[in-house]
């Protein structure tokens, strides 16, 4: 009964809630850490990045307009589905990331925990990062964080660093989603399978199409196009340490993007990461006129 | 029924010349129904083939500018106001304020009652049919349904022309066409053409909207195209934009073929205007390829080919900005319309 035929798969991108092939038609081979063939992944081109930004832009109003409570529920739903696919993620981290069974399980568990942690912040970060300001006049003066829009990100890349398979990706996507941003993320090039499975999880949860767009392929090729893209509002360079990330920052400065610099490993969960991708809106409201 | 030739001799006489007998409902029907059927599969595969051409680098730059020059920038909403028309005209005159080398569009297309506002907003940029500047096109004849008496349609047309419209986009009576009353449709087009006559004796350009989405078959599109040309259309236009499907590549290809046939028969060039549903530069470039391959590049001229579009212009501008600056642009860098 064990003579089951393995099916080598050719995976696709995740753009606008659909799974298209790369516009360029290119694929690349994904191998285990020891070099054995695992699967084919789509090699995204700059035009796939462009299409992702269009999809992400279209999704901003719906996602940021949803109530904080609703966003929290949707994010929590993703964590539930991650839990359901635990075995698959463990397999992929073992095969592609070269982890042991125990290490892989630990990484998946941590990733789910991080996701739940961020989901919980959706209807709470406002209270922590917003303010009622004291002003000398009969006014309420309230500062409140608003999502910045489309965030492009490079997921942690280095396969030698612990947690870059799934946890790294989750740790960059989740905080941006909490406040209502939409995301275009370049997955770990060497270990893309967990990212592709995460795309499948997201597409079968309640996340509207376009809120998360996942590209597999070369960050060196795609990141400059996202950094200079005029319709991207912020850039998370968490995994761009090995790229010319200074150039990416310079390109991003042309259109005044918020830029998070590279991190050595996997970014730790932090409210700062949620707050970074928000813009503070301050409103004045007269007091005492009823 | 004999068609009243005293209304307009020129278009009727070209129909008589072609049909070769007296122009009656019957002879018109015999002629149009006798046109050979359209090979739908062949037509669609030809259109699909033309859509696969890859237009890059310098050709693309040329194509984008050509598309802008061929656009009838359109606003046809019930909620249109003089202010909306003014901003439309401002955009027509200066599509991309960040790049003064951007060409101007061919015309602005508005409802008849807003023609005066468009003319006033254009000021000295109003081409009035001349070689430079921007024309004002008005939809008329109870657009988009065409369900009104002939008297109303003619008054609608005459008012728009009097207000300064250089081009009239009329709709045909699809009900009459589909029930086989070709003579009635013919007569109405001839009458509207006459209503396009200005005080000075010259004529506003007449675009005849076939509304191909309601004609159901390619055979009907071919018949309606012939009918409109015989009746004196200067342009044949696919759709109002209010009915789905609007312009499609196969339908436009078919209309271009009719126009090409007419040119071979008479040496007269008739224009084609696909309208509705063309939103991306990529789509528009496919139309350019189709025109160039079907009737030739001399048709890629505002006098002979137009895009009826509103959101297309923004997409073309984004592509243009990408080419000039080297990075992708976004909707924050073009005007909202």
């Amino acid at each position: 009964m064990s003579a089951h035929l393995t099916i080598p798969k050719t995976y696709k991108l995740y753009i606008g809630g659909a799974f298209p092939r790369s516009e360029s038609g290119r694929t690349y081979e994904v191998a285990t850490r020891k070099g054995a063939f695992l699967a084919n992944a789509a090699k995204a081109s700059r035009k796939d990045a462009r299409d992702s930004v269009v999809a992400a832009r279209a999704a901003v109003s719906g996602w940021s307009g949803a109530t904080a409570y609703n966003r929290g529920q949707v994010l929590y739903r993703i964590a539930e589905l991650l839990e359901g696919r635990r075995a698959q993620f463990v397999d992929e981290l073992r095969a592609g990331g070269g982890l042991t069974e125990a290490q892989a399980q630990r990484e998946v568990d941590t990733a789910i925990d991080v996701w739940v942690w961020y989901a919980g912040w959706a209807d709470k970060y406002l209270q922590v990062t917003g303010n009622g300001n004291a002003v000398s006049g009969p006014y309420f003066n309230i500062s409140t964080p608003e999502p910045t829009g489309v965030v492009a990100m490079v997921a942690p890349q280095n396969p030698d660093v612990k947690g870059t398979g799934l946890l790294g990706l989750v740790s960059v996507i989740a905080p941006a989603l909490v406040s209502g941003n939409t995301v275009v993320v370049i997955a770990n090039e060497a270990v893309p399978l967990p990212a592709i499975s995460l795309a499948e999880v997201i597409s079968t949860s309640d996340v509207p199409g376009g809120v998360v767009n996942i590209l597999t392929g070369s960050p060196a090729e795609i990141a400059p196009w996202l950094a200079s893209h005029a319709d991207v509002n912020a850039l998370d360079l968490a995994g761009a340490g090995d790229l010319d990330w200074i150039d990416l920052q310079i390109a991003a400065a042309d259109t005044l993007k918020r830029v998070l610099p590279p991190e050595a490993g996997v970014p730790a969960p932090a409210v700062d990461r949620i707050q970074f991708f928000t813009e503070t809106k301050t409103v004045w409201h007269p007091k005492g006129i009823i | 029924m004999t068609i009243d030739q005293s209304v307009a001799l020129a278009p009727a006489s070209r129909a008589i010349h072609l049909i070769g007998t007296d122009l009656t409902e019957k002879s018109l029907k015999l002629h149009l129904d006798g046109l050979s059927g359209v090979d739908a599969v062949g037509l669609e595969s030809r259109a699909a083939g033309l859509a696969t051409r890859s237009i890059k680098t310098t050709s693309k730059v040329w194509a984008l500018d050509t598309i802008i020059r061929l656009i009838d920038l359109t606003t046809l909403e019930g909620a249109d106001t003089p202010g909306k028309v003014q901003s439309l005209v401002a955009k027509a005159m200066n599509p991309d304020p960040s790049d003064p080398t951007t060409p101007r569009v061919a015309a602005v297309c508005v409802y008849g009652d807003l023609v005066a506002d468009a003319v006033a907003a254009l000021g000295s940029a109003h081409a009035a049919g001349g070689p430079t500047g921007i024309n004002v096109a008005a939809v008329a004849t109870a657009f988009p349904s065409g369900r009104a008496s002939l008297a109303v349609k003619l008054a609608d047309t005459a008012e728009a022309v009097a207000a300064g419209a250089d081009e009239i986009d009329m709709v045909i009576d699809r009900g009459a066409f589909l029930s086989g009353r070709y003579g009635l449709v013919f007569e109405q087009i001839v009458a509207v053409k006459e209503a396009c006559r200005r005080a000075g004796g010259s004529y506003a350009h007449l675009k005849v909207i076939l509304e191909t989405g309601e004609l159901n078959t390619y055979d009907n599109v071919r018949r309606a195209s012939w009918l409109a040309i015989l009746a004196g259309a200067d342009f044949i236009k696919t759709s109002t934009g209010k009915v789905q499907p609007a312009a499609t590549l196969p339908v436009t290809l078919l209309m271009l073929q009719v126009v090409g046939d007419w040119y071979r028969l008479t040496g007269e060039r008739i224009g084609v205007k696909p309208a509705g549903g063309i939103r991306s530069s990529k789509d528009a470039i496919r139309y350019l390829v189709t025109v160039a391959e079907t009737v030739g590049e001399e048709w890629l001229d505002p006098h002979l080919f137009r895009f009826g579009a509103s959101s297309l212009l923004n997409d073309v501008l984004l592509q243009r900005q990408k080419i000039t600056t080297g990075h992708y642009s976004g909707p924050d860098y073009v005007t909202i319309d």
Side-chain angles (χ1 to χ4, degrees):
Chain A
M1 186 56 215
S2 65
H4 166 66
L5 192 67
T6 48
I7 307 169
K9 298 189 183 68
T10 299
Y11 291 104
K12 296 192 252 183
L13 307 170
Y14 183 54
I15 300 174
F19 290 91
R21 291 188 176 79
S22 168
E23 161 278 334
S24 62
R26 300 175 306 175
T27 57
Y28 70 103
E29 291 193 356
V30 180
T32 64
R33 293 306 303 280
K34 290 182 179 147
F37 175 80
L38 260 182
N40 292 305
K43 191 172 168 66
S45 68
R46 65 180 169 91
K47 293 191 180 174
D48 296 313
R50 175 199 63 186
D51 294 347
S52 304
V53 173
V54 171
R57 172 59 60 198
V60 168
S61 64
W63 183 241
S64 63
T67 61
Y69 173 75
N70 182 231
R71 272 203 305 279
Q73 292 290 299
V74 170
L75 292 175
Y76 188 73
R77 172 85 184 127
I78 297 175
E80 286 180 353
L81 289 172
L82 276 173
E83 181 78 37
R85 289 216 191 199
R86 211 165 161 277
Q88 184 188 356
F89 282 106
V90 169
D91 284 350
E92 285 166 354
L93 288 173
R94 286 179 63 198
L99 305 188
T100 65
E101 174 88 22
Q103 284 172 326
Q105 284 185 357
R106 221 166 20 245
E107 179 169 345
V108 175
D109 288 346
T110 317
I112 296 169
D113 289 350
V114 164
W115 199 285
V116 172
W117 189 81
Y118 276 120
W121 275 109
D123 54 3
K124 301 174 189 70
Y125 83 97
L126 270 149
Q127 293 88 309
V128 176
T129 58
N131 277 87
N133 308 315
V135 290
S136 55
Y139 299 100
F140 290 117
N141 183 273
I142 304 154
S143 294
T144 177
E146 304 250 308
T148 188
V150 175
V151 183
M153 32 185 60
V154 183
Q157 296 286 321
N158 188 345
D160 296 326
V161 174
K162 219 172 73 181
T164 49
L166 176 65
L167 180 58
L169 182 67
V170 165
S171 303
V172 291
I173 295 180
L177 293 180
V178 166
S179 61
N181 295 298
T182 59
V183 160
V184 177
V185 62
I186 308 170
N188 186 330
E189 186 177 14
V191 194
L193 298 193
I196 295 162
S197 298
L198 183 67
E200 287 168 4
V201 164
I202 289 171
S203 81
T204 50
S205 65
D206 303 324
V207 183
V211 169
V212 180
N213 303 277
I214 299 180
L215 303 174
T216 52
S218 159
E221 179 192 339
I222 309 165
W225 291 100
L226 288 170
S228 65
H229 198 308
D231 204 27
V232 170
N233 301 102
L235 203 57
D236 185 346
L237 296 176
D242 292 336
L243 309 179
D244 290 331
W245 60 274
I246 300 287
D247 286 349
L248 296 181
Q249 281 193 322
I250 293 170
D254 264 352
T255 46
L256 303 175
K257 293 180 184 66
R258 280 145 210 281
V259 184
L260 266 183
E263 300 248 352
V266 170
V271 182
D272 285 353
R273 290 191 80 81
I274 302 175
Q275 194 181 7
F276 189 82
F277 297 116
T278 61
E279 297 168 6
T280 304
K281 182 172 84 178
T282 298
V283 290
W284 296 70
H285 192 281
K287 263 185 210 177
I289 303 166
I290 298 166
Chain B
M1 186 195 76
T2 311
I3 285 166
D4 186 2
Q5 291 188 20
S6 67
V7 174
L9 210 93
S13 69
R14 69 184 183 187
I16 291 167
H17 181 72
L18 189 90
I19 294 173
T21 75
D22 261 359
L23 193 57
T24 62
E25 179 91 48
K26 193 177 168 194
S27 66
L28 201 55
K29 192 166 173 57
L30 270 175
H31 177 73
L32 292 175
D33 287 347
L35 291 171
S36 61
V38 178
D39 169 8
V41 174
L43 181 73
E44 282 170 10
S45 78
R46 171 76 174 138
L50 289 167
T52 59
R53 303 287 172 84
S54 179
I55 307 293
K56 300 288 181 204
T57 62
T58 49
S59 313
K60 186 170 179 183
V61 174
W62 180 86
L64 292 176
D65 280 1
T66 306
I67 291 167
I68 297 177
R69 287 194 295 106
L70 296 177
I71 286 179
D72 277 3
L73 196 59
T74 302
T75 181
L76 296 172
E77 303 295 334
D80 282 349
T81 57
K84 171 108 190 266
V85 170
Q86 276 168 16
S87 65
L88 186 85
V89 166
K91 183 161 188 175
M93 293 199 284
N94 194 4
D96 186 351
S98 68
D99 182 358
T101 64
T102 313
R104 287 175 166 183
V105 302
V108 291
C109 182
V110 295
Y111 269 114
D113 61 331
L114 293 166
V115 166
D117 297 296
V119 170
L122 276 169
S124 61
H126 186 199
T132 58
I134 298 168
N135 279 334
V136 175
V139 294
T141 70
F143 181 94
S145 67
R147 297 255 67 87
S149 70
L150 182 59
V152 171
K153 292 180 181 183
L154 295 181
D156 197 10
T157 309
E159 263 180 33
V161 173
D166 312 300
E167 302 169 3
I168 294 295
D169 288 28
M170 71 165 288
V171 288
I172 63 166
D173 183 343
R174 280 89 72 189
F177 181 87
L178 289 171
S179 51
R181 287 143 71 205
Y182 300 144
L184 180 63
V185 180
F186 184 95
E187 244 183 356
Q188 293 195 348
I189 299 173
V190 171
V192 172
K193 171 97 183 172
E194 201 45 39
C196 289
R197 184 207 280 268
R198 298 192 191 93
S202 60
Y203 285 83
H205 250 55
L206 180 64
K207 306 197 198 103
V208 178
I209 304 173
L210 310 180
E211 194 63 295
T212 54
E214 290 184 342
L215 297 184
N216 299 327
T217 64
Y218 289 128
D219 287 358
N220 275 342
V221 173
R222 176 176 279 178
R223 284 186 201 114
S225 303
W226 274 104
L227 181 62
I229 294 173
L230 286 172
D234 298 307
F235 254 87
I236 49 177
K237 173 174 166 182
T238 59
S239 329
T240 58
K242 306 287 184 198
V243 170
Q244 290 302 326
T248 66
L249 200 53
V251 157
T252 311
L253 171 60
L254 176 58
M255 287 163 63
L256 285 163
Q257 286 170 348
V258 174
V259 161
D261 287 347
W262 181 259
Y263 174 66
R264 274 185 291 281
L265 267 175
T266 65
E268 183 188 18
R269 291 190 172 95
I270 303 292
V272 176
K273 175 176 171 186
I278 307 169
R279 296 198 177 82
S280 70
S281 312
K282 204 172 194 171
D283 270 354
I285 288 174
R286 288 174 180 157
Y287 281 88
L288 294 190
V289 170
T290 304
V291 171
E293 293 277 322
T294 313
V295 286
E297 280 180 38
E298 66 265 32
W299 249 266
L300 291 178
D301 182 282
H303 294 295
L304 292 171
F305 192 76
R306 295 280 179 85
F307 290 106
S310 42
S311 53
L312 170 65
L313 180 56
N314 272 353
D315 192 67
V316 175
L317 294 178
L318 291 179
Q319 299 275 338
R320 246 182 137 261
Q321 289 173 358
K322 154 74 176 65
I323 290 169
T324 348
T325 62
H327 62 73
Y328 288 118
S329 187
D332 289 349
Y333 298 82
V334 288
T335 54
I336 302 165
D337 40 29

